[in-house]
């Protein structure tokens, strides 16, 4: 089934419900959004002469046009290539060329960067500023019939954030994204027509995927006027929309909690904060629940199986009387219905409960492979299982706890040290705002633990205090040998700590 049908069906059933809003102002209802997408689809095919399966890049920070363009691409049988709008022209050129993009939609602030990247992108014929007449002209085409494409046709080329090496184009098919949409309803959260999704995280990555389940249920896509994450703006928008879901990386959740603590805004219209994309420390999770109530849901996924490896819905977060509540909160939840997840050793043999190994995934959400990288694809998908590169273990109830990415595990004197375990301890110190732990090369031990710590504003922390805390909670050999105090941790556009830079 073509993903474009999700929009067509919502428009049929709920034509007058709001579909896209900029800040507090509704721009299009479902009937209008479907009509605009069908017209744009005709513009792409007849106006620009694109053929089904060609690629269309989107280099735009969050904006209302994101939603209609994604659906226009699918309607026309084209594959969308959402790109992080903050990239350097050189990085843009790499992606355009790798994706063989024929057209690119851009916002005014990045036109210059895209045009300079065009020189290195042989197939890129059309660069269209969504604020220009050329865009308006595409919308004047008569609506196109939905293209007939199969479940294996590409819908979204999802470029990895490239914290190591060049980004890879994850090939996500219509079948993958449809399975992801259904999985959301089964295990993350229910959505009712008239609810809303607030796109404060980048739509080129995390938040863009949330367009799908929300359009499928006729919820409103709310794009903040700032195009990004601003605590005050988010709480202001909660007054204008109801039943609001927000996807936030753990660092964003912390910022929301800090803001709510001081400004005491009204968050009655907040329905769910879905967090994921990086480790959420149990202490931070509890503070967030204390601030917002039982409105948290967690997902663990990666571009290669978007949003869909394990989940922990609101009910599990709320079950604080459960004897294993603490362990559950420190986990990433249980596998999605319909998705197989196992923990395996280096030979890919499944490991028993409690043993630590690599997380493998099999199911309808797993990518078709990496574009133009047959070897990396074969390696990552060997034996029919996605090798996530994440390390973790299952408990007896089927909850998965992640340790770290295999490359982040520190090996000191032959013992494995999982950075997250040390970070959880450092974060217990009331003056520690953020902490990240890496392995530093050491002649005697191979690697030693080095901790990067961000103190809360105005606080001074003595390494000896942190040392004592570690000795209280974890084995002596896991203690950081060095502490470095920073004002902030280096992070990429999606809020992931760049351990490569710390190293
Ligand atoms: P990306 O493909 O950029 O979304 O990055 C995916 C990676 O982020 C995963 O392989 C994990 O290492 C990490 N990640 C995603 N969700 C979670 C989560 N809920 N808890 C801990 N780490 C996560």
């Amino acid at each position: 089934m073509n993903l474009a049908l999700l929009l067509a069906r919502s428009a049929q059933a709920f034509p007058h419900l709001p579909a896209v809003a900029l800040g507090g102002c509704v721009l299009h209802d479902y009937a209008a959004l479907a009509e605009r997408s069908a017209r744009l689809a005709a513009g792409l095919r007849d106006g620009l002469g694109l053929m089904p399966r060609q690629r269309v890049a989107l280099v735009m920070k969050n904006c209302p046009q994101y939603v209609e363009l994604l659906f226009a691409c699918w309607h026309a049988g084209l594959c969308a290539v959402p790109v992080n709008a903050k990239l350097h022209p050189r990085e843009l050129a790499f992606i355009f060329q790798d994706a063989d993009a024929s057209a690119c939609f851009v916002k005014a602030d990045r036109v210059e960067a895209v045009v300079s990247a065009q020189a290195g992108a042989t197939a890129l014929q059309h660069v269209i500023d969504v604020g220009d007449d050329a865009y308006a002209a595409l919308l004047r085409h008569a609506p196109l019939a939905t293209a007939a494409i199969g479940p294996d046709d590409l819908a979204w080329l999802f470029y990895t954030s490239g914290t190591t090496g060049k980004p890879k184009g994850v090939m996500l098919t219509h079948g993958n994204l449809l399975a992801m949409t259904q999985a959301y309803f089964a295990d993350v959260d229910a959505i009712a027509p008239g609810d809303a999704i607030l796109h404060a995280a980048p739509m080129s990555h995390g938040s863009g995927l949330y367009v799908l389940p929300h359009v499928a249920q006729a919820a409103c896509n709310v794009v903040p006027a700032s195009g990004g994450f601003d605590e005050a703006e988010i709480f202001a928008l909660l007054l204008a929309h109801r039943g609001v879901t927000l996807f936030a990386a753990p660092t964003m959740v912390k910022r929301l909690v800090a803001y709510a603590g001081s400004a005491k805004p009204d968050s009655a219209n907040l329905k769910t904060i879905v967090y994921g994309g990086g480790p959420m420390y149990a202490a931070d999770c509890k503070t967030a629940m204390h601030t917002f109530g039982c409105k948290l849901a967690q997902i663990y996924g990666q571009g290669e199986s978007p949003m869909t490896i394990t989940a922990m819905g609101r009910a599990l977060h709320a079950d604080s009387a459960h004897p294993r509540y603490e362990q559950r909160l420190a986990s990433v939840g249980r596998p999605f219905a319909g998705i197989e997840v196992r923990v395996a050793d280096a030979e890919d043999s499944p490991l028993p409960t409690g043993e630590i190994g690599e997380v493998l995934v099999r199911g309808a959400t797993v990518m078709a492979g990496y574009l133009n990288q047959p070897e990396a694809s074969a390696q990552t998908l060997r034996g029919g299982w996605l090798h996530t590169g994440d390390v973790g273990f299952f408990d007896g109830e089927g909850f998965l706890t992640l340790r770290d990415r295999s490359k982040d595990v520190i090996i000191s004197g032959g013992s494995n040290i999982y950075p997250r375990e040390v970070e959880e301890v450092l974060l217990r110190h009331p003056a520690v705002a953020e902490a990240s732990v890496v392995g530093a090369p050491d002649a005697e031990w191979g690697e030693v633990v080095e901790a990067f710590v961000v103190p809360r504003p105005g606080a001074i922390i003595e390494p000896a205090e942190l040392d004592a805390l570690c000795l209280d909670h974890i084995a002596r050999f896991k203690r950081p040998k060095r502490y470095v105090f920073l004002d902030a941790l280096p992070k990429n556009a999606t809020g992931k700590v760049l351990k490569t830079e710390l190293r």
Side-chain angles (χ1 to χ4, degrees), residues 291-425:
T291 308
F292 298 119
C294 289
K295 295 182 174 180
L296 267 73
Q298 177 179 203
I299 51 141
Y300 157 50
Q302 55 177 204
E304 291 82 344
S305 180
M307 291 167 40
T308 41
I309 301 175
T310 61
M312 187 156 51
R314 285 186 293 172
L316 285 170
H317 280 84
D319 189 10
S320 59
H322 194 278
R324 290 179 48 78
Y325 185 60
E326 290 286 324
Q327 289 94 326
R328 285 179 165 190
L329 272 197
S331 81
V332 291
R334 301 179 333 141
F336 275 89
I339 309 289
E340 286 177 274
V341 183
R342 64 162 59 150
V343 167
D345 65 13
E347 276 75 50
D348 288 349
S349 304
L351 286 167
T353 301
E355 285 193 32
I356 296 179
E358 186 175 3
V359 179
L360 312 188
V361 185
R362 187 164 70 174
T365 56
V366 172
M367 66 165 178
Y370 296 116
L371 183 69
N372 304 327
Q373 305 220 24
E375 276 171 27
S377 305
Q379 177 65 16
T380 304
L381 296 173
R382 62 187 185 275
W385 289 83
L386 167 67
H387 290 65
T388 62
D390 292 318
V391 175
F393 64 92
F394 274 113
D395 69 13
E397 294 181 311
F399 284 75
L400 179 70
T401 300
L402 290 185
R403 280 304 187 218
D404 285 277
R405 299 206 45 87
S406 41
K407 64 179 171 31
D408 290 336
V409 173
I410 301 166
I411 304 178
S412 186
S415 301
N416 283 6
I417 301 171
Y418 299 98
R420 172 151 183 191
E421 205 186 351
V422 185
E423 290 159 4
E424 291 263 12
V425 173

Side-chain angles (χ1 to χ4, degrees), residues 488-502:
L489 295 175
K491 297 197 183 113
N492 72 8
T494 54
K496 277 193 213 313
V497 176
L498 291 168
K499 294 213 175 202
T500 35
E501 280 192 19
L502 293 177

